[in-house]
Coordinates of all heavy atoms in Angstrom, one line a residue:
F84 N 1.3 19.0 27.7 CA 1.6 17.6 27.2 C 0.5 16.8 26.6 O 0.7 16.3 25.5 CB 2.1 16.9 28.4 CG 2.5 15.4 28.0 CD1 3.8 15.1 27.6 CD2 1.5 14.3 28.2 CE1 4.2 13.8 27.2 CE2 1.9 13.1 27.8 CZ 3.2 12.8 27.4
T85 N -0.7 17.0 27.1 CA -1.8 16.3 26.6 C -2.1 16.8 25.2 O -2.3 16.0 24.2 CB -3.1 16.5 27.4 OG1 -2.8 16.0 28.7 CG2 -4.2 15.7 26.8
V86 N -2.0 18.0 25.1 CA -2.4 18.7 23.7 C -1.2 18.4 22.7 O -1.5 17.9 21.6 CB -2.6 20.2 23.8 CG1 -2.7 20.8 22.4 CG2 -3.7 20.6 24.6
N87 N -0.1 18.5 23.0 CA 1.1 18.3 22.2 C 1.2 16.8 21.8 O 1.4 16.4 20.7 CB 2.4 18.7 22.8 CG 2.5 20.2 23.0 OD1 3.3 20.6 23.8 ND2 1.7 20.9 22.1
A88 N 1.0 15.9 22.8 CA 1.0 14.4 22.6 C 0.0 14.0 21.6 O 0.1 13.2 20.6 CB 1.1 13.7 23.8
A89 N -1.2 14.5 21.8 CA -2.3 14.1 21.0 C -2.2 14.5 19.6 O -2.4 13.8 18.6 CB -3.7 14.8 21.5
V90 N -1.5 15.7 19.4 CA -1.3 16.3 18.1 C -0.3 15.4 17.3 O -0.5 14.9 16.1 CB -1.2 17.8 18.0 CG1 -0.6 18.2 16.6 CG2 -2.2 18.6 18.5
L91 N 0.8 15.1 17.9 CA 1.8 14.2 17.4 C 1.3 12.9 17.1 O 1.6 12.4 16.0 CB 3.0 14.2 18.3 CG 3.8 15.5 18.4 CD1 4.9 15.3 19.4 CD2 4.4 15.9 17.2
F92 N 0.6 12.3 17.9 CA 0.1 10.9 17.7 C -0.9 11.0 16.5 O -0.9 9.9 15.7 CB -0.6 10.4 19.0 CG 0.3 10.1 20.1 CD1 -0.2 9.7 21.4 CD2 1.6 10.1 19.9 CE1 0.5 9.4 22.4 CE2 2.5 9.8 21.1 CZ 1.9 9.4 22.2
S93 N -1.6 11.9 16.4 CA -2.7 11.9 15.3 C -1.9 12.2 13.9 O -2.3 11.7 12.8 CB -3.5 13.2 15.4 OG -4.4 13.0 16.8
I94 N -0.8 12.8 13.9 CA -0.1 13.1 12.7 C 0.9 12.0 12.3 O 0.8 11.5 11.2 CB 0.7 14.5 12.8 CG1 -0.3 15.6 13.0 CG2 1.6 14.7 11.5 CD1 0.5 17.0 13.3
L95 N 1.7 11.5 13.3 CA 2.7 10.6 13.0 C 2.4 9.2 13.3 O 3.0 8.2 12.7 CB 3.9 10.8 14.0 CG 4.5 12.3 14.1 CD1 5.7 12.4 15.0 CD2 5.0 12.6 12.5
L96 N 1.2 8.8 13.8 CA 0.6 7.6 13.9 C 1.5 6.5 14.4 O 1.7 5.4 13.7 CB 0.1 7.2 12.5 CG -0.8 8.2 11.9 CD1 -1.3 7.6 10.5 CD2 -2.1 8.5 12.7
P97 N 2.3 6.6 15.5 CA 3.2 5.6 16.0 C 2.4 4.3 16.4 O 1.3 4.4 16.9 CB 3.9 6.2 17.1 CG 2.9 7.2 17.7 CD 2.1 7.8 16.5
R98 N 3.0 3.2 16.2 CA 2.4 1.9 16.5 C 2.4 1.6 18.1 O 1.6 1.2 18.7 CB 3.0 0.8 15.8 CG 2.3 -0.7 16.2 CD 2.9 -1.7 15.4 NE 2.3 -2.9 15.8 CZ 2.6 -4.1 15.1 NH1 3.5 -4.1 14.2 NH2 2.1 -5.3 15.5
F99 N 3.6 2.1 18.6 CA 3.7 2.1 20.0 C 4.3 3.4 20.7 O 4.9 4.2 19.8 CB 5.0 1.0 20.4 CG 4.7 -0.4 19.8 CD1 5.4 -0.8 18.6 CD2 3.8 -1.3 20.3 CE1 5.2 -2.1 18.2 CE2 3.6 -2.5 19.8 CZ 4.2 -2.9 18.7
A100 N 3.9 3.6 21.9 CA 4.3 4.9 22.5 C 4.7 4.6 24.0 O 4.2 3.7 24.6 CB 3.2 5.9 22.5
I101 N 5.8 5.3 24.5 CA 6.3 5.0 25.8 C 6.6 6.6 26.3 O 7.2 7.3 25.6 CB 7.4 4.1 25.9 CG1 7.8 3.8 27.4 CG2 8.6 4.7 25.1 CD1 8.7 2.6 27.4
H102 N 6.3 6.6 27.6 CA 6.6 8.0 28.2 C 7.8 7.9 29.1 O 7.9 7.0 29.8 CB 5.4 8.6 29.0 CG 5.5 9.9 29.7 ND1 6.1 10.9 29.0 CD2 5.2 10.2 30.8 CE1 6.2 11.9 29.9 NE2 5.6 11.5 31.1
A103 N 8.7 8.9 28.9 CA 10.0 8.8 29.6 C 10.4 10.2 30.1 O 9.9 11.2 29.7 CB 11.0 8.2 28.7
G104 N 11.2 10.2 31.2 CA 11.7 11.4 31.8 C 12.2 11.2 33.1 O 12.7 10.2 33.5
V105 N 12.0 12.1 34.0 CA 12.3 12.0 35.5 C 11.1 12.3 36.3 O 10.1 12.8 35.8 CB 13.3 13.1 35.8 CG1 14.7 12.7 35.2 CG2 12.9 14.6 35.5
C106 N 11.1 11.9 37.6 CA 10.0 11.9 38.5 C 10.6 12.1 40.0 O 11.8 12.0 40.1 CB 9.1 10.8 38.3 SG 10.0 9.3 38.9
A107 N 9.6 12.4 40.8 CA 10.0 12.4 42.3 C 9.6 11.0 42.8 O 8.6 10.5 42.5 CB 9.1 13.5 42.9
G108 N 10.6 10.4 43.5 CA 10.4 9.2 44.1 C 9.7 9.1 45.5 O 9.7 10.3 46.1
Y109 N 9.3 8.1 45.9 CA 8.6 8.0 47.2 C 9.6 7.6 48.3 O 10.3 6.5 48.3 CB 7.4 6.9 47.2 CG 6.9 6.7 48.6 CD1 6.3 7.7 49.4 CD2 6.8 5.4 49.2 CE1 6.0 7.6 50.8 CE2 6.4 5.1 50.4 CZ 5.7 6.1 51.2 OH 5.3 5.9 52.4
D110 N 9.8 8.5 49.2 CA 10.9 8.3 50.3 C 10.1 7.8 51.6 O 9.6 8.4 52.3 CB 11.5 9.7 50.7 CG 12.7 9.4 51.8 OD1 13.1 8.3 51.8 OD2 13.2 10.6 52.1
D111 N 10.1 6.4 51.5 CA 9.3 5.7 52.5 C 9.9 5.9 53.9 O 11.0 5.4 54.2 CB 9.3 4.2 52.2 CG 8.4 3.3 53.0 OD1 7.8 3.9 53.8 OD2 8.3 2.2 52.8
P112 N 9.1 6.6 54.8 CA 9.6 6.8 56.1 C 9.8 5.4 56.9 O 10.5 5.4 58.0 CB 8.4 7.7 56.8 CG 7.3 7.4 55.9 CD 7.8 7.2 54.6
T113 N 9.1 4.4 56.5 CA 9.3 3.1 57.3 C 10.5 2.5 56.9 O 11.0 1.4 57.6 CB 8.1 2.2 57.1 OG1 8.1 1.8 55.7 CG2 6.6 3.0 57.4
G114 N 11.1 2.8 55.7 CA 12.3 2.1 55.2 C 12.0 0.7 54.5 O 13.0 0.1 54.0
K115 N 10.7 0.5 54.4 CA 10.4 -0.9 53.8 C 10.7 -0.9 52.2 O 11.2 -1.9 51.7 CB 9.0 -1.3 54.0 CG 8.7 -1.5 55.5 CD 7.2 -1.9 55.6 CE 7.0 -2.3 57.1 NZ 5.5 -2.8 57.3
L116 N 10.5 0.3 51.6 CA 10.7 0.4 50.2 C 11.9 1.3 50.1 O 12.0 2.4 50.3 CB 9.5 1.2 49.6 CG 9.5 1.5 48.0 CD1 9.7 0.1 47.3 CD2 8.4 2.3 47.5

Side-chain angles (χ1 to χ4, degrees):
F84 176 85
T85 303
V86 173
N87 291 160
V90 171
L91 289 178
F92 289 172
S93 299
I94 295 172
L95 303 181
L96 311 176
R98 181 174 180 181
F99 304 105
I101 191 167
H102 179 42
V105 293
C106 65
Y109 173 52
D110 188 10
D111 186 1
T113 67
K115 293 181 179 180
L116 179 61

